[in-house]
Amino acid sequence: MTADDEALLILEEVERARPRDQKVRLSIDLVGAAGRNLVIGGWIDDRGSTIDSVTVEARGSKAVLSGGQLRRTQRTDVESELRAPAGSRLGLVAFTGDLAFAMPPNEVVRVVIALADGRAASAVARVRSASPVEVRLEALAGLLACSVTEARRRLGSVELVSSARDFAALEALTAEQPAAVPAFADDGLVVMDWQAPRATSVALNVDAVAVSPDGGIFVVGWIDDREAKLTGIRLVAPAWHVSFAAPKLARVRRRDVEQALGVTAATRFGFWGLHFSAKGLAVSAQAGCTIEFVFADGSLQSLKLPHLRQVEQAELRNVVLGQIVADEHVGSVQVEASNLLDGGIGDGIVALNRAVVNRATAGPHVIRFGHRTDFRMSVVVCLYGRAEFLMLQAAAYSATKMGGVEFVYVSNSPELAETLVKEARIATLLYDVPITLVILSGNAGFGAANNVAVDYCRSRVVCIMNPDVFPRSAGWAEALLDGASSGAGGTFFGTPLHYDDGSLMHGGMYFETDTGISFSGNVISERRLLRVEHYDKGTPAEAAKQMVTRPVPAVTGALMVVRRPWYERLAGFSPDFVFGHYEDADLCLRSFAEGEPVFLRNVPFWHLEGRGSTRLPVHEGGSLVNRWLFTRKWLEYAGEHGLLGAEPRNPAFAARKAAAA
Amino acid sequence: MKAIATDSPAAGEPGRGSPRLKVLVVSLYHPELIRGGAQQVAYELYQGLAATDGVDATLLASADQRWPSLFKSGARITGFDQRPGEYLFLSREYDHWWHRSGNVELVERFCQFLAETRPDVVHFHHFLTLGIDLLSATRRVLPEAKIVFTFHEFLSICNANGQMVRTFDRSLCTTASAVRCHQCFPNHSPESFFMRENWLKAHLGKVDRFTVPSAFMIDFYARWGIPREKIEHVTNGQQLPAPDAEPSVQPSGPRKRFGFFGQLVDNKGVQVIFQAVTHLRMSGVTDFVVEINGDNLAYATPEFRAAFEAFRAAEEALPAAERNIVFNGAYSHDELPRRMRRVDWCIVPSLWWEIFGLVISEAWNFGKPVIASDVGGMAERIGHDRDGLLFAVGDARALAETMRRAVTEEGLWAKLEAGIRKPATREEMTNAMLRVYRGVGAAEEPATQSTGTLGG
């Protein structure tokens, strides 16, 4: 801990009335936390008594540490300050890996120390957010009365420390000095012993290793393992190491390698892997790392990479998504991509994306324009890449009857923030449209951004709308509100959307399955994937069945009206979907599963599909992941509940058949 | 129709009694800073209104970075050269696709300006450099004011500088649509044009009354979606210099001198004259002269520039006696009488609709019959064989034949010259506009031009 840290952390020293009016001096030097892991360092002059418990109070939550969670240490500095005899052990370290609640980072907490004689003293400190490993290293350093670096050295394997939940486990780790070569951490990956170097070298290369200090490692390269079968690779850096068992590696075609090796058959020489954990990784780009390739015959070949590419989590995610799009497969792209996502990469991407989303949605910047505060409906619009839709919608909607409607714009493009503020100011000058701007610090994706925006809505009816949706009738607002207040299908519904050419773009969605062929591992296999289809795309907008209110399997997120309590009960859009796509169908299916099928009500809008935002290759990668995820979540359910096809068997859609007939 | 709100119940009768009518004329550019037809007409109107009893006229004309020193630090609207009633709108951050300014302070200042001046009528001449959304700002700040908008070409309908000439083959266009416009601008999707149209219409919807200087435009705008009953034809009026008493250089005899007055850009069609001259020479007609007056060649396409320069070089390489074309170069407004005096006929060979053609008014002011393309404002204003001659637009042989007839047919010039009616004056235009402001209708104006419309 640096001197600066100490200065920051010793915020206040509080005395409490105690029997006999004798004051207890104490100092809390450190409160470090990572989720449910907590370390407290400091000292207390409890001479004449002993510590009974240490209580941490944070935001109404309280954790009590006692017994084996506390250790007293020698603090010569304190002894000299207090003129206490040497060996008084006034130092205090508290540690637990099992807090009852996740400690909020950067929070100011109160630490109350109760003594056995009934006295108590407290101090206030700010929680330093750390990684679980750091928390343990701090605890260990306190315990050993040494620096963190020294504690790390004494520990041998940093990875092992993650599993220690109390002091006893920590002490056990330091007691048995590890062998010169530590066993590999098992993050559910693979544990291997060291192997002998290979006698004959295998042609291989690592193109790049990208690491995010907040957690996340991506490795990409190629290997000619036709003869020596690869069982796994491990990346060894000074502060961490990670193993990838072969099944966890994506194997893809590399034409450049085929050409270089003179191989004419399509061969999966390429490999890449993603490891994500929320644990922080000490990364030094200069330090580089060693990549070890382990083969089935027990041999090992290693390669030194002098530099690691250090990236932000969001960039790491985009690198991986870009990789999925760039991958060349032998079979169907979506099927092969789904197969490789199954191996663990998919879950890694979802977890990595969640971390990115959590960061992007933390502490949004919110600006309200206009003075009214009570509304009947809140239109929520998620902007990405293009700002002008704010003024276009404001101009178009202000020309309609929209009393009691507010617009909440949420921006996934931080670079547009300044422009959007200007646009909202101009719109407020020109039109009578109440606008709230919710500016996120990064691209949280469609679903998560809308969820944040709904938090700032000031009505009971939420209308999720794309920026390129425009009113086709002046009375749209009343019509939507009428719909939302009606009994049947008023809880959650969509509307027909029309292309600029006047034909139907959206009249509800249904689910089909595609069967793709995979050649994975020289075995030909089939795989079914869910596909979302729009009813009657491109047909005349006036087709009769669009005019009838009816239940449909799903509606597009381009325009959906949801009563707010229902939206909140469903916890809004799932943040697991990357960027956009499929989260709307997912929300509809969750609503169906909870007992409210979604409806289509005839309130027509224009939708200039896809013109409202920009689309990049990483978005295609996101779509592949989303379709894989959506299939995993819903394929079985949709089959079991008769939700497949344009005419689903489920009785909830009987009305649709009646309407069509 | 919205009534004009003024200070007293007896309002709306300009020139009668005490209630005064406050009119704000909002103009694309100040004509003394940047010349052009729309601003010239707006300024004529402002001067006409200012000279009318019972009317308080204010001018707000835009300026752009061509005069950077006029952009006083921190100012968005300023006065103009110590002239009472004239203000400059310092245009900035102008978006030429959406036609609006992204500058918050500029919009704010405009709103304040309206709130301070509180005009009864706000009359926009064009939205370019100003912003189409200022119409909505006006409606918001002054809910009771009458908003009048004069279309000077087709910029609302057509992204090709409002000319309705298709970009890929220069054919004349009569109808805009998302796909047709996308064909002219493949980089912009049909959806973009759909949005452009809706955006512009959202603001034009705030206008109470539209006027057009030529009646044929009404069909175009009605077809596009502006309610026909909201559009009125009010011809452009000008205060033109009185034709001097000095006799023409060639008081009588054959009328063999033609003049072109205008910008040397593609759509003005000077190249049609060149081709016609070539045809005339080949058919042995050589006793005539064409004087080319104008410049702005820099704004023409490179192809046009190259062809123009090549023709001029070839012409100037001829022995003096064999030359038929004289290149006089640019002229100022003051020089116009002298340049006009040198010719008998004025040729207006425009390849676009030529909304009004101020040059026609100028030619008529000096008693020169006009030979013009048979479309748009030209066809509407010129009566063939009555006060001028029309030829098929873009057809050099037809123009050659018309020129041959002009120099050979005895009595033709005198007949046509006698048929010329004086163009509308500033005062006539002002009175017609005042009737529009009062909701009476401009058509009662006896001086308005014939309103024979040309279908599209």
Side-chain angles (χ1 to χ4, degrees), chain B residues 99-120:
Chain B
H99 291 294
R100 44 94 66 164
S101 166
N103 188 291
V104 186
E105 292 74 21
L106 183 62
V107 179
E108 258 170 8
R109 184 67 197 104
F110 177 77
C111 292
Q112 286 166 4
F113 186 82
L114 292 180
E116 289 157 6
T117 54
R118 300 212 72 79
D120 306 307

Side-chain angles (χ1 to χ4, degrees), chain A residues 109 126 184 372 660:
Chain A
V109 296
R126 186 178 293 277
F184 268 85
R372 263 179 286 153

Side-chain angles (χ1 to χ4, degrees), chain A residues 386 388-389 391-392 395-396 398-399 421-423 425-433 468 470 499-501 606-609 611, chain B residues 93 95 98 100-105 107-108 111 133-134 136-138 140-141 178 189-192 194-195 198-199 202-203 206:
Chain A
R386 291 182 69 178
E388 70 259 38
F389 284 97
M391 67 158 197
L392 292 176
S398 69
V421 173
K422 281 171 67 177
E423 292 297 348
R425 283 179 62 194
I426 290 180
T428 308
L429 281 171
L430 301 187
Y431 322 106
D432 191 21
V433 183
D468 50 7
F470 295 94
Y499 286 121
D500 63 305
D501 61 24
W606 298 110
H607 182 212
L608 314 178
E609 193 184 16
R611 302 294 176 189
Chain B
E93 290 181 48
D95 179 332
W98 295 116
R100 44 94 66 164
S101 166
N103 188 291
V104 186
E105 292 74 21
V107 179
E108 258 170 8
C111 292
D133 51 357
L134 295 190
S136 291
T138 305
R140 185 104 203 272
V141 177
S189 66
E191 288 90 341
S192 302
F194 176 85
M195 285 189 280
N198 280 307
W199 160 253
H203 299 293
K206 309 286 168 61

Side-chain angles (χ1 to χ4, degrees), chain A residues 464-494:
Chain A
I464 305 288
M465 184 188 279
N466 271 14
D468 50 7
V469 167
F470 295 94
R472 225 191 145 158
S473 63
W476 65 276
E478 282 308 320
L480 292 186
L481 282 164
D482 281 353
S485 64
S486 74
T491 309
F492 188 168
F493 62 92

Side-chain angles (χ1 to χ4, degrees), chain A residues 321-322 325 615-622:
Chain A
L321 294 175
V325 174
R615 193 158 173 86
L616 305 168
V618 293
H619 298 141
E620 301 298 335

Side-chain angles (χ1 to χ4, degrees), chain A residues 12-358:
Chain A
E12 190 189 344
E13 199 170 307
V14 179
E15 296 168 14
R16 284 215 175 165
R18 43 164 288 232
R20 303 195 302 276
D21 218 18
Q22 191 182 334
K23 74 178 185 181
V24 180
R25 295 187 63 184
L26 87 163
S27 167
I28 298 300
D29 304 336
L30 164 77
V31 178
R36 297 181 187 280
N37 305 290
L38 174 72
V39 60
I40 300 171
W43 57 265
I44 182 164
D45 182 6
D46 59 339
R47 283 174 288 174
S49 183
T50 53
I51 295 178
D52 188 54
S53 66
V54 175
T55 305
V56 184
E57 299 168 6
R59 272 207 213 170
S61 301
K62 197 183 271 190
V64 181
L65 285 71
S66 59
Q69 294 171 317
L70 307 176
R71 286 287 188 273
R72 301 309 298 268
T73 60
Q74 186 169 5
R75 285 281 294 265
T76 50
D77 55 337
V78 179
E79 285 166 7
S80 99
E81 169 77 21
L82 300 179
R83 298 172 200 277
S88 297
R89 299 186 77 76
L90 300 178
L92 164 67
V93 193
F95 163 66
T96 176
D98 290 313
L99 262 187
F101 59 95
M103 185 66 69
N106 300 318
E107 193 80 353
V108 173
V109 296
R110 179 173 295 276
V111 179
V112 183
I113 302 180
L115 300 185
D117 63 7
R119 286 180 295 163
S122 71
V124 173
R126 186 178 293 277
V127 176
R128 181 151 69 94
S129 81
S131 72
V133 170
E134 282 176 305
V135 168
R136 286 163 177 77
L137 289 174
E138 288 284 3
L140 198 56
L143 195 63
L144 303 175
C146 66
S147 69
V148 170
T149 315
E150 173 63 12
R152 189 193 293 268
R153 196 190 63 74
R154 300 259 289 269
L155 196 59
S157 164
V158 171
E159 289 285 319
L160 283 178
V161 84
S162 318
S163 57
R165 301 252 172 258
D166 53 24
F167 279 118
L170 281 179
E171 282 157 351
L173 279 177
T174 47
E176 46 178 90
Q177 283 293 325
V181 179
F184 268 85
D186 182 2
D187 263 325
L189 298 172
V190 65
V191 180
M192 294 179 291
D193 295 323
W194 288 103
Q195 285 87 13
R198 278 187 67 78
T200 56
S201 80
V202 164
L204 57 83
N205 193 34
V206 172
D207 302 328
V209 174
V211 180
S212 163
D214 303 310
I217 301 167
F218 170 73
V219 57
V220 59
W222 60 269
I223 182 168
D224 178 9
D225 59 340
R226 282 172 297 173
E227 297 190 355
K229 193 169 161 41
L230 185 73
T231 55
I233 65 172
R234 53 194 167 199
L235 279 60
V236 184
W240 48 263
H241 31 209
V242 171
S243 305
F244 295 89
K248 289 189 180 291
L249 288 175
R251 294 306 299 266
V252 295
R253 191 172 172 196
R254 283 282 292 257
R255 280 180 199 265
D256 54 340
V257 178
E258 287 168 17
Q259 203 168 6
L261 298 177
V263 175
T264 51
T267 312
R268 293 179 163 89
F269 290 123
F271 71 82
W272 62 270
L274 169 71
H275 169 76
F276 175 77
S277 77
K279 292 172 200 159
L281 292 166
V283 177
S284 161
Q286 290 76 30
C289 76
T290 301
I291 297 114
E292 296 168 346
F293 296 79
V294 183
F295 298 93
D297 62 3
S299 63
L300 176 142
Q301 185 172 329
S302 67
L303 181 81
K304 270 208 184 306
L305 203 65
H307 300 292
L308 299 179
R309 193 175 144 201
Q310 193 171 326
V311 294
E312 290 291 313
Q313 274 181 336
E315 193 187 345
L316 185 71
R317 176 198 62 187
N318 294 352
V319 165
V320 174
L321 294 175
Q323 182 68 41
I324 292 176
V325 174
D327 279 347
E328 206 177 331
H329 299 289
V330 183
S332 138
V333 171
Q334 178 70 59
V335 170
E336 299 284 4
S338 296
N339 287 344
L340 77 82
L341 290 167
D342 281 342
I345 289 176
D347 287 324
I349 293 172
V350 169
L352 175 58
N353 185 58
R354 265 197 183 239
V356 172
V357 167
N358 287 343

